[in-house]
Amino acid sequence: MKKNSTGVLPFLWACLALALATSAHAGSSAPDPKCDKAGDDDAKAICNAKSTGDTDFCKDTKSKDNFHFCMGVTSGNSYDCEKVNSFDRKRTCLEGAKAKQRKAMY
């Protein structure tokens, strides 16, 4: 008996088109103009990431600590905050990640 697979191919093409559209949109957030006054390049990257919610801006940071801080507060993932070396900065990151998680719940 031959199976009818005529619906599978269009479904797969639709999935591929959706995946390509999603990946093309990723990282396409425009920088926030207010972040130009944030200070150095790392501060600008963190400001842009937090204000737009786009973690791609975190890649523009120079130091690993700032990268992990940026990823933690932008994504709400405390795992990134645990990688921050400075105790005070780690605490601030964890508080920011917790606030982001709570905001997402409500």
Side-chain angles (χ1 to χ4, degrees):
M1 212 191 242
K2 189 173 181 181
K3 290 186 180 180
N4 185 359
S5 62
T6 57
V8 175
L9 193 55
F11 175 75
L12 291 175
W13 280 111
C15 289
L16 178 62
L18 181 63
L20 289 174
T22 303
S23 67
H25 176 68
S28 62
S29 296
D32 190 339
K34 72 174 182 172
C35 294
D36 288 338
K37 301 173 188 168
D40 64 357
D41 290 339
D42 282 9
K44 288 178 187 175
I46 293 168
C47 177
N48 280 315
K50 286 172 62 176
S51 65
T52 63
D54 188 353
T55 56
D56 281 350
F57 285 108
C58 297
K59 295 175 186 173
D60 296 335
T61 58
K62 305 274 189 267
S63 77
K64 284 288 187 191
D65 253 14
N66 286 336
F67 173 76
H68 293 302
F69 178 85
C70 182
M71 291 295 290
V73 296
T74 303
S75 68
N77 187 347
S78 61
Y79 177 75
D80 289 302
C81 295
E82 292 296 335
K83 294 180 179 180
V84 175
N85 290 326
S86 166
F87 176 77
D88 290 333
R89 188 94 168 162
K90 183 184 291 189
R91 186 179 66 213
T92 304
C93 183
L94 289 168
E95 290 169 358
K98 185 194 297 185
K100 177 90 175 182
Q101 291 171 0
R102 285 185 177 164
K103 186 177 179 181
M105 289 175 59
Y106 299 107

